[in-house]
Amino acid sequence: MKKEIVINETADQVRIAITEDGRLAEIFVDTPGKERMVGDIYLGRIARVMPGIRAAFIDIGHKQDAFLHFSDVDPNIDEYSSLIGEDESEIDDEDDDDEEVVTAAPPAEHGPRQQTGQRPQPHQQRGFRPPQRDIKLDRGQSIIVQVTKEPVGKKGVRVTSKVSLPGRYLVLLPFDGRVGVSKKLYNFREKKRLRRIVRSMLPEGFGVIIRTVAEGKEEELLKNDLGQLIKTWREIEKSLKTEQPPILLYKDLSTVSSVIRDLFNNEVQRVVVDSRRLYKEITTYVKWFSPNLVDKIEFYRGKQPIFDVFGVAKDMQESLGRRVPLKTGGYLVIDPTEAMTVIDVNSGRYAANREQEQNSLRTNMEASREIVRQLRLRDIGGIIVIDFIDLDDERNKRKVYEELRKEFRRDRAKSTVLPMTEFGLVQITRQRIRQSIMQSFSETCPVCSGTGIVQSRATVLTDITGWFGRLRTDGHGGRFFKLTVHPYIAYYLKEGRPSHLSTLMWRNKVFIRLVADPATPMNSFKVYSNSENREITEEFKA
């Protein structure tokens, strides 16, 4: 598979595209005011503890408090309490385990990391619920937390107290004595070599996860990476002695640097960037950790927009649409809701009965590949429900399920796929870390407030009529008013003989000066009293 990284910088944005075989697979956006937050470390203060939902809310200085689930509380939390002036307690080191590093973020949001390389313990078996560990968190207590998920909508960031510092080859675990190795590193001898090297240089009390890209690397590179991570942590420790919560202790790399750190490896054919500033920055960074990759970095000198040349612009527009075409003639309809994302698979054309099963299977198989691509591209997380075209043969249903699972192996985000139900539905959960592409590239419509529909003109007129009826019933003495509405509604009020506006004034014995204002939502209106020289809309609302 041909994999490329294409980077475009404009006055307002930096956009990083990951392409696979010439098609856009992932897109990252850095916009002023929406900087990347995953990986940032804060000294926070516990604002609320909610035992009922097994969570706490942490004040980290943002508008919304951060969400900390009890499953994301480090069992070694007392280990660093002395750093922030609290009682110290001893803990035992854990055994060495293999760990998979999916992204530069801390462990996933779905509970404690599962140990591998061992037989499942009784508490890991199906149908057995282990006793819940008591979490001792007190309101007002200081706590070190790290962002694992960007804010979505009105929800604040999600955090963990399982702090980690990602480097190029290693991930430092300040309060965990384990030496883990990525699950994607399969060579036993190489794993043993890397463990031996890392253990020989690792300070007491620290743990690491060895990343996949460390395979075959010299000891000096690993030593430099570890040394930089230790130095960064020591600086964080110094800050803890003098700073008061809430405060940012550590800011992770920018989106560009983090993508290069985590995704630029031997599988990538080239990195092409149209900004001389970013080209120099990336080249300097790569020379430090992987000099052998520098020759793969190219500065784009063409006159056409770089995203047009690589076909990224077209795929980006497609990713913002509700409808996605398939080569078989079918199409997908993607509808995000508050609770989940619903995807409908449609055949798009009629097939004869004797061919219907095979045509449906063919469309469903193509849809499976495109759905996973769209989930990655749009970065859709949470609960996803797919309504496939009906299949009668259970073997065909199984083929669709296996195709989905195969495609998800390319996805860096963790996911769970359930088999197809008798109604043709497939349920998926996918890890959500950052905002979806729809949230990055769009804003809520000021007219419909994101619903996609607005009240009819007649309904708005009914609301206005009711408002003036309540004004008259209340005995308000004013007779001269200013009514501000959207131009579309203003045009409707002037229609008719007599006009709707004239009828409104005649029935309520008032004079109304109509003002058309494009900034006023179509579902709304404002009324001002001339005699009182103020807005009185809220006083007579239903």
Side-chain angles (χ1 to χ4, degrees), residues 382-394:
I383 300 173
I384 301 145
V385 177
I386 307 170
D387 182 10
F388 282 99
I389 302 170
D390 290 341
L391 295 170
D392 295 325
D393 194 328
E394 290 297 326

Side-chain angles (χ1 to χ4, degrees), residues 314-331:
K314 181 181 178 182
D315 285 346
M316 282 178 57
Q317 287 300 317
E318 178 188 280
S319 70
L320 296 174
R322 178 171 176 259
R323 179 168 166 158
V324 179
L326 302 173
K327 292 180 180 178
T328 55
Y331 59 92

Side-chain angles (χ1 to χ4, degrees), residues 360-418:
S360 296
L361 175 61
R362 191 179 303 112
T363 302
N364 283 342
M365 294 290 278
E366 184 190 355
S368 298
R369 294 185 286 271
E370 186 61 30
I371 285 170
V372 176
R373 174 176 171 266
Q374 290 293 328
L375 294 179
R376 294 175 60 199
L377 176 55
R378 300 173 187 236
D379 202 17
I380 295 174
I383 300 173
I384 301 145
V385 177
I386 307 170
D387 182 10
F388 282 99
I389 302 170
D390 290 341
L391 295 170
D392 295 325
D393 194 328
E394 290 297 326
R395 291 173 299 178
N396 290 337
K397 292 181 180 180
R398 184 74 185 178
K399 286 180 181 178
V400 175
Y401 169 66
E402 293 296 342
E403 187 70 14
L404 275 172
R405 293 188 63 192
K406 183 189 78 174
E407 290 298 315
F408 268 115
R409 293 191 192 113
R410 296 187 183 185
D411 192 7
R412 293 182 298 114
K414 294 183 178 180
S415 58
T416 301
V417 184
L418 299 183

Side-chain angles (χ1 to χ4, degrees), residues 261-499:
R261 177 190 66 194
D262 300 335
L263 302 182
F264 187 24
N265 52 39
N266 292 326
E267 295 179 357
V268 176
Q269 271 68 38
R270 58 175 173 165
V271 174
V272 189
V273 55
D274 65 357
S275 162
R276 190 172 295 277
R277 178 187 69 85
L278 289 177
Y279 172 76
K280 292 180 179 178
E281 180 183 312
I282 293 169
T283 302
T284 302
Y285 183 46
V286 173
K287 279 181 180 178
W288 177 74
F289 68 74
S290 286
N292 60 305
L293 296 177
V294 171
D295 292 339
K296 291 187 175 185
I297 307 171
E298 299 179 12
F299 176 61
Y300 177 73
R301 304 175 186 273
K303 294 183 178 180
Q304 283 185 274
I306 188 171
F307 273 17
D308 288 356
V309 173
F310 284 85
V312 173
K314 181 181 178 182
D315 285 346
M316 282 178 57
Q317 287 300 317
E318 178 188 280
S319 70
L320 296 174
R322 178 171 176 259
R323 179 168 166 158
V324 179
L326 302 173
K327 292 180 180 178
T328 55
Y331 59 92
L332 309 175
V333 177
I334 303 176
D335 284 318
T337 71
E338 186 72 21
M340 66 183 71
T341 298
V342 181
I343 303 176
D344 188 26
V345 181
N346 294 279
S347 61
R349 58 189 178 195
Y350 175 79
N353 287 335
R354 62 186 177 86
E355 300 175 348
Q356 187 170 357
E357 181 77 6
Q358 285 304 310
N359 284 336
S360 296
L361 175 61
R362 191 179 303 112
T363 302
N364 283 342
M365 294 290 278
E366 184 190 355
S368 298
R369 294 185 286 271
E370 186 61 30
I371 285 170
V372 176
R373 174 176 171 266
Q374 290 293 328
L375 294 179
R376 294 175 60 199
L377 176 55
R378 300 173 187 236
D379 202 17
I380 295 174
I383 300 173
I384 301 145
V385 177
I386 307 170
D387 182 10
F388 282 99
I389 302 170
D390 290 341
L391 295 170
D392 295 325
D393 194 328
E394 290 297 326
R395 291 173 299 178
N396 290 337
K397 292 181 180 180
R398 184 74 185 178
K399 286 180 181 178
V400 175
Y401 169 66
E402 293 296 342
E403 187 70 14
L404 275 172
R405 293 188 63 192
K406 183 189 78 174
E407 290 298 315
F408 268 115
R409 293 191 192 113
R410 296 187 183 185
D411 192 7
R412 293 182 298 114
K414 294 183 178 180
S415 58
T416 301
V417 184
L418 299 183
M420 185 180 293
T421 69
E422 59 180 310
F423 299 112
L425 302 177
V426 171
Q427 302 163 76
I428 299 171
T429 60
R430 184 175 183 270
Q431 182 187 23
R432 178 191 291 139
I433 296 178
R434 63 182 188 273
Q435 289 186 331
S436 69
I437 190 173
M438 186 66 72
Q439 293 168 322
S440 298
F441 284 107
S442 61
E443 296 178 350
T444 302
C445 173
V447 176
C448 69
S449 300
T451 64
I453 58 174
V454 294
Q455 290 181 350
S456 66
R457 297 179 300 176
T459 301
V460 177
L461 175 58
T462 299
D463 290 345
I464 295 172
T465 302
W467 190 95
F468 278 99
R470 287 187 289 277
L471 174 88
R472 184 180 57 191
T473 303
D474 189 75
H476 191 278
R479 296 188 60 192
F480 296 90
F481 301 91
K482 181 177 74 171
L483 174 64
T484 302
V485 296
H486 189 275
Y488 184 65
I489 302 299
Y491 179 80
Y492 179 70
L493 289 172
K494 295 176 182 178
E495 286 183 346
R497 289 180 179 273
S499 68

Side-chain angles (χ1 to χ4, degrees), residues 53-67:
I53 60 173
R54 291 183 50 78
F57 290 89
I58 314 298
D59 177 13
I60 59 173
H62 292 189
K63 185 176 181 181
Q64 288 106 357
D65 290 338
F67 179 83

Side-chain angles (χ1 to χ4, degrees), residues 197-208:
I197 291 174
V198 170
R199 280 201 178 105
S200 68
M201 63 179 72
L202 190 63
E204 185 178 355
F206 286 91
V208 296

